[in-house]
Amino acid sequence: MKRAPVLLLTLCLSGALVRAETASESDIRAELGALRATVEELRLMESRLAASENKVQAQENSAEDLRAELIATKMELRHFKERAEEMEKKMAGGPKVAFSVALTGTVGTFNAETTLIYPQVITNIGNAYNVYTGFFTAPVSGVYFFRFNTMDGRKGYHMGAALHKNNQRVLLNIAWNHQDDHEHVSNGVVLELSQGDVVHMRLPAWYRVTDWVGHHYNIFSGFLLFAM
């Protein structure tokens, strides 16, 4: 009879131990699950942090590239500024050449091409234009600009003029006067000249140009852009 209570007690203790063990495993699983969730969250945060760091690094690299480009641009601008200042100094200290001359009265017609001599001097800085020969002689090697205008009012005839460098024709502008009115032609050109080169205007054979004192319908002009 004494064995029954002992057996019953043993069974009760075994059940309690089983319940205790079961409760512990459940708590552990819950804690493990929470821990896994926390670890996963940390991994996501680490991934986002790495992505943010990469983005920041890319922006820093881009900023560095922009800084390098800005520095290069500033250096290039400084170089051009220095060259411009040098050219300004050369031009300020170099020769000054400019002229504008005009015809007076009627010139032509001639049975051969003829040099136009412009007797009325409006400007002749540097005295490079010769009023007796009609020649402009380059005092220094450089780049020059020349312009001319011609006019005639004779109906039914050609008018115009040609610009020559030394003995070579550079420009020829002509017009046919269809009505009894003033007919004009003009042109301009930039030429590279060596010291001593000559530029002048010529009237083609059987052509005529007309001017009146003070009107300046027929002008020949030029000036030095820069010496070389």
Side-chain angles (χ1 to χ4, degrees):
M1 296 298 292
K2 289 182 179 180
R3 290 182 181 177
V6 173
L7 181 59
L8 181 60
L9 179 61
T10 302
L11 291 172
C12 289
L13 290 172
S14 298
L17 288 172
V18 169
R19 284 195 298 271
E21 289 178 0
T22 303
S24 296
E25 288 180 5
S26 177
D27 291 341
I28 290 171
R29 286 196 185 99
E31 289 179 6
L32 286 174
L35 185 59
R36 289 192 188 97
T38 302
V39 170
E40 188 63 28
E41 259 186 60
L42 289 174
R43 285 177 180 170
L44 288 173
M45 290 177 64
E46 186 179 6
S47 177
R48 290 172 187 163
L49 181 61
S52 298
E53 288 177 348
N54 291 336
K55 187 175 181 180
V56 170
Q57 185 63 44
Q59 290 176 345
E60 289 179 353
N61 293 339
S62 178
E64 287 297 326
D65 292 341
L66 289 173
R67 289 191 193 98
E69 186 177 351
L70 180 61
I71 292 171
T73 302
K74 286 182 177 179
M75 293 179 63
E76 190 174 358
L77 286 173
R78 184 180 300 171
H79 174 68
F80 282 122
K81 184 178 179 181
E82 290 174 353
R83 289 194 62 187
E85 289 175 352
E86 289 178 4
M87 290 184 66
E88 286 179 0
K89 289 178 182 178
K90 287 181 181 180
M91 292 178 66
K96 295 175 176 59
V97 183
F99 75 97
S100 281
V101 289
L103 292 178
T104 56
T106 298
V107 181
T109 60
F110 305 109
N111 60 4
E113 189 176 58
T114 304
T115 299
L116 283 170
I117 298 175
Y118 297 78
Q120 186 174 359
V121 175
I122 302 170
T123 304
N124 194 15
I125 299 172
N127 295 314
Y129 175 78
N130 190 317
V131 71
Y132 300 106
T133 64
F135 289 175
F136 169 85
T137 304
V140 294
S141 298
V143 177
Y144 294 77
F145 176 76
F146 296 94
R147 186 182 184 281
F148 66 90
N149 183 79
T150 59
M151 189 282 291
D152 190 41
R154 185 177 53 162
K155 183 179 179 180
Y157 287 87
H158 280 106
M159 52 81 61
L163 184 145
H164 286 245
K165 172 186 173 182
N166 297 325
N167 293 319
Q168 181 181 4
R169 178 187 290 175
V170 178
L171 292 174
L172 172 64
N173 282 82
I174 62 175
W176 174 264
N177 198 338
H178 295 280
Q179 54 187 355
D180 192 12
D181 199 358
H182 295 173
E183 187 74 37
H184 296 261
V185 295
S186 62
N187 210 336
V189 66
V190 173
L191 294 177
E192 182 179 345
L193 303 180
S194 298
Q195 184 178 11
D197 281 346
V198 173
V199 177
H200 62 288
M201 300 296 300
R202 296 181 68 84
L203 183 69
W206 309 111
Y207 280 48
R208 189 185 81 167
V209 291
T210 303
D211 211 326
W212 292 279
V213 176
H215 287 75
H216 299 159
Y217 290 127
N218 294 269
I219 291 284
F220 178 36
S221 300
F223 56 87
L224 173 66
L225 289 171
F226 52 87
M228 295 179 64

